[in-house]
Amino acid sequence: MSSVTRAPARRDDMTAAWFDGLRAGRLLLRACPEGHRSRPDVLACDVCGSLELGWAEASGWGSTVALAVDRSTQPATHLVVVALDEGPWLITRLEGEQVARGEDVVVRYVQDGEGEAYPVVTARPADGD
Amino acid sequence: MAAIAGLGLTEVGKVYGRTSFELAAEAVALAAGDAGLTLADVDGLLINPAFSQPALDLTLARRLGLRDLRVLSSLTAYGASAGVMVAQAAQAVDAGAADVVACVFADTPRSGTSSGAEAYQAFSLQARGVRSAETAAGLTSTTHRYALAADRYMSTYGVTHDELGAVAVSQRRWAEMNPVAAMRTPLSLEEYHASRWVVEPLHLLDCCLVSNGGAAVIVTSAERARDLRQPPVHVRGWGQAHPAPPLRAGGSFGLTTGAKASGRAALAMAGLGLDDVQLREIYDCYTYTVLVTLEDYGFCGPGEAGALAASGALGPGGALPTNTGGGQLSSFYLWGMTPLHEAVVQVRGQAGERQVGAHDTAMVSGNGGILEHHSTLVLTSETAA
C-alpha cells in the first residue's frame, strides 16, 4: 500500500481505446500511415506530423532512459522513463527487481481499485519471456 | 523601446488570510506607486493566474477600479509567464496600444495547515488520460518528473550531488544579504546532503520554496520612464521557446531546454552577446534547472555548469553572479516574478548589501511545465541603453 494518495487512472475521450487495450493486456500506440508510432495522447504524428492516426499494438519491450526513487511511499516507488522499442517513451514505475539505466524492461499491466488499468514495467526476464 | 518603471512586491512567504486577488491588487498599486504613477495612469493589465483557488482572472481589472483599459488579458506560459507578460507589454507600448501596462502574478498555495506542495500536485492528481496513468504509477507531482529529468542529466554528464548542492549553497549566500528572503541562515554542503530526499535524485534543498504573495511590474515607454521616479530598466530583448520535444528515441528530455533558442533570440534582439551579460537571474525551481539553463544560454558547455557552480563562480564575489537574491530556492517562489524582481532591483542599483558592482545588463529566464516553456528577457540600465 502506498502512504500517499494516488489518484486512479481515468480515461478521457481521446484515450478510451488506449485504456481498453490496457485492460486487455495490450499496449497501444498511435500509428500513422507511414508506420511511425507516437505516444497515445498526440494529435499529430511525432515523426511526420500526419493527422491520420490509428492505433497499433506495441511489443511491450523497451529499455530504461532515466530512473528516480520516491521513498515517501511504502515500499519506495521506482520511477522510470522507458524507451519503447517502437520509438515512443513511456513514463511509469518499475516493479520488482531493479535495473540499471539502459537495461531492458517489459511492460506489465496493473489495476488499482476502481481505476483504469495502466502500464508498469519489470526487468526483462533472461529467457526473453 | 519599452522600460520597466515600477516594481511591486507584497509580503511574501507564510502570508495567510489574503486571497490572490487582494495580493495582486496590492502588488499593482505598489508597482504604480513605485513608478510615481497612480492606478488611474494604468491603461493596460496583463494577468498571470496560478493554480491555487480562487485563481486570478479578468475581474481583477474591474475590482481594482481599472475601468478604461486599452489592453487586458489573462495569460499563462506557466513558469515562463513573467517574461512573456513583459514582452507582450513592451510590444503593446511600442505599438501605441497602451501607455502604462501592469503585469501581475499572485498565488496563495500555502495555508496554515499546508506547506503548499499539494496545490502543485493538482495537475497530476486531477489528470485524466495518459497523465492519469502516470500519476497512478506513482508520478504524483511535478517533482517526480523533474527528478527523472535531473537523473538523465546527471547520469549523462556525470554531474554530482556536490555540484547540485553548490547551487543551493551559492544562492543561500546571496539570500543571506536579501532582507525579503525566507531562508537567510548560512547553508553548508553537509546540510544540503543531509536534507531528505523528496524524489531521488532531488533532495529537499534542491527544490524551490512554496510562497504566498504577489508581484507586479509597470511597463511603459523608455521616454516616459525617464521622467518617472525610478531609474528605468530597459526591456532591450526578449525571446520565447516552446520546444515540446517529443518523448521518444533521440529526445533531449533533461539534457537541453528552450532556454537555448529563447536566450539566443533575446540577445540577438538586444544586439548584445553573452560577454555583455553581468547578471543572470535564472528560473530555479530546482538546482538542476539552473545548471541546464546556464548551459543552454551558453555560459558554459553541456554538462559543465555543475563544475562552474562548484567553483564558486555563481556566488557573491564570483565571476558570473547568478540568482543574486537567493532565487526561488532561498528567497521566495512567485514563479517568474522571482528572477524578474531581482533583476530589476539589481539593474537599478538598489540591492543594498548584495548589490553587484557591474549591473548594467541582466538576463532573466522563465521555465514552465517540465522544461517545456521558456522565456528570456535582456534588461539594461540607462547607462547600457
Side-chain angles (χ1 to χ4, degrees):
Chain A
M1 281 296 290
S2 163
S3 64
V4 294
T5 307
R6 272 191 198 151
R10 289 177 291 202
R11 69 178 56 203
D12 54 19
D13 288 346
M14 265 198 70
T15 52
W18 188 64
F19 280 112
D20 284 343
L22 292 168
R23 185 160 299 204
R26 301 163 67 220
L27 178 65
L28 302 182
L29 295 171
R30 296 321 301 259
C32 77
E34 300 296 318
H36 306 133
R37 299 289 184 265
S38 302
R39 277 166 57 87
D41 58 351
V42 302
L43 297 168
C45 173
D46 273 345
V47 179
C48 67
S50 171
L51 301 182
E52 288 180 54
L53 296 174
W55 293 98
E57 188 171 351
S59 65
W61 303 120
S63 59
T64 64
V65 173
L67 306 169
V69 190
D70 180 351
R71 298 192 189 282
S72 72
T73 60
Q74 279 299 331
T77 305
H78 293 263
L79 308 158
V80 62
V81 176
V82 176
L84 296 170
D85 286 357
E86 290 81 5
W89 289 0
L90 179 69
I91 301 177
T92 185
R93 73 168 180 264
L94 172 75
E95 293 199 331
E97 181 193 335
Q98 296 307 297
V99 300
R101 291 176 204 85
E103 289 190 350
D104 291 341
V105 291
V106 60
V107 174
R108 307 287 186 198
Y109 305 90
V110 299
Q111 190 173 1
D112 301 333
E114 295 176 0
E116 300 281 355
Y118 59 90
V120 299
V121 295
T122 62
R124 189 167 182 163
D127 64 5
D129 180 11
Chain B
M1 196 165 72
I4 295 172
L7 180 64
L9 179 69
T10 69
E11 190 184 1
V12 287
K14 297 175 180 175
V15 180
Y16 303 131
R18 304 181 68 197
T19 67
S20 293
F21 281 89
E22 291 167 308
L23 293 163
E26 182 186 342
V28 172
L30 285 171
D34 179 60
L37 297 168
T38 70
L39 289 178
D41 296 307
V42 173
D43 64 353
L45 179 65
L46 298 177
I47 300 165
N48 174 213
F51 298 144
S52 55
Q53 299 299 320
L56 297 181
D57 61 28
L58 296 185
T59 66
L60 176 66
R62 169 176 62 77
R63 296 163 71 188
L64 192 50
L66 302 175
R67 295 195 174 82
D68 296 306
L69 296 177
R70 298 195 288 152
V71 164
L72 172 63
S73 283
S74 167
L75 64 83
T76 194
Y78 303 127
S81 304
V84 172
M85 284 197 291
V86 169
Q88 294 197 2
Q91 289 170 87
V93 166
D94 285 344
D99 292 327
V100 175
V101 182
C103 306
V104 64
F105 171 88
D107 196 13
T108 54
R110 300 187 70 102
S111 71
T113 55
S114 159
S115 67
E118 292 83 354
Y120 285 91
Q121 290 187 292
F123 239 57
S124 299
L125 299 180
Q126 294 167 11
R128 302 187 87 86
V130 175
R131 182 131 184 174
S132 77
E134 295 169 353
T135 303
L139 289 117
T140 49
S141 77
T142 299
T143 303
H144 291 75
R145 294 166 187 277
Y146 271 95
L148 287 165
D151 177 73
R152 184 158 196 238
Y153 172 81
M154 294 174 77
S155 64
T156 299
Y157 295 123
V159 173
T160 66
H161 277 102
D162 275 356
E163 293 171 339
L164 289 194
V167 175
V169 168
S170 161
Q171 293 193 198
R172 184 64 61 84
R173 290 182 62 211
W174 287 114
E176 288 171 37
M177 299 183 282
N178 182 358
V180 304
M183 310 291 275
R184 275 175 282 173
T185 53
L187 174 68
S188 69
L189 201 54
E190 291 69 33
E191 289 169 294
Y192 162 83
H193 283 295
S195 72
R196 68 177 170 86
W197 294 118
V198 177
V199 183
E200 192 179 339
L202 298 176
H203 284 282
L204 180 65
L205 294 179
D206 285 307
C207 305
C208 68
L209 303 167
V210 180
S211 311
N212 290 358
V217 294
I218 298 289
V219 177
T220 188
S221 68
E223 300 73 53
R224 186 157 183 187
R226 289 189 181 101
D227 295 332
L228 294 176
R229 182 178 289 161
Q230 296 288 355
V233 174
H234 297 275
V235 184
R236 184 147 160 185
W238 60 78
Q240 290 182 43
H242 307 270
L247 284 168
R248 66 177 303 113
S252 60
F253 174 73
L255 302 181
T256 181
T257 75
K260 190 171 272 185
S262 70
R264 205 164 41 220
L267 283 171
M269 184 184 297
L272 295 171
L274 280 179
D275 290 347
D276 299 312
V277 176
Q278 296 167 331
L279 294 156
R280 283 140 293 270
E281 306 300 346
I282 306 293
Y283 199 95
D284 55 329
C285 46
Y286 302 92
T287 51
Y288 147 72
T289 322
V290 176
L291 299 181
V292 73
T293 305
L294 288 170
E295 293 169 13
D296 284 337
Y297 278 167
F299 290 106
C300 59
E304 294 174 359
L308 200 60
S311 77
L314 311 183
L320 299 171
T322 299
N323 292 352
T324 52
Q328 299 169 339
L329 296 172
S330 279
S331 68
F332 58 86
Y333 178 64
L334 294 180
W335 290 19
M337 284 295 185
T338 299
L340 175 60
H341 179 275
E342 179 64 15
V344 171
V345 170
Q346 286 280 353
V347 170
R348 285 178 175 180
Q350 298 173 345
E353 192 188 349
R354 70 183 189 283
Q355 180 65 51
V356 173
H359 54 86
D360 289 320
T361 305
M363 213 164 162
V364 184
S365 84
N367 161 54
I370 314 301
L371 307 166
E372 292 154 293
H373 309 290
H374 292 265
S375 64
T376 304
L377 296 174
V378 174
L379 304 179
T380 64
S381 70
E382 188 74 4
T383 310

